[in-house]
Amino acid sequence: MAKQDMNDRKKRKTCSFCAEHIETIDYKDGAKLKRYLTEAGKIIPRRVTGNCAKHQRMIAKAIKQAREAAIINYVFD
């Protein structure tokens, strides 16, 4: 029974950006970027979101640009 539980935990999520063949992530799309933030305003790690490393870096960069441009708040209330 313990081996079955281990196999269930190892399932990987697929990258939603790779599935949709998205090449770039726009920092001006605040609604899409908020999906990758916690309630406290922190960026959700890729092990939780299931994104690939390439797109996770793009998301992080876009979120940081959006914060500088005041599209997204640094901290949510």
Side-chain angles (χ1 to χ4, degrees):
M1 200 64 166
K3 281 191 176 186
Q4 186 178 6
D5 293 336
M6 291 296 289
N7 290 336
D8 290 341
R9 229 178 301 155
K10 290 184 182 180
K11 291 182 183 176
R12 299 290 295 178
K13 297 178 185 177
T14 58
C15 179
S16 60
F17 295 103
C18 289
E20 297 174 9
H21 302 292
I22 295 175
E23 295 296 322
T24 59
I25 299 171
D26 190 20
Y27 74 94
K28 292 174 266 183
D29 190 7
K32 186 176 261 187
L33 294 176
K34 281 186 179 182
R35 180 176 169 224
Y36 297 99
L37 294 172
T38 63
E39 292 176 2
K42 294 183 177 182
I43 300 172
I44 299 174
R46 66 181 276 236
R47 70 177 179 271
V48 176
T49 61
N51 291 327
C52 64
K54 174 184 169 183
H55 286 112
Q56 183 69 21
R57 285 192 301 270
M58 292 172 103
I59 288 171
K61 189 178 282 189
I63 287 172
K64 290 172 186 177
Q65 282 181 318
R67 285 175 176 166
E68 278 292 314
I71 296 170
I72 297 174
N73 294 336
Y74 282 94
V75 179
F76 299 118
D77 291 333

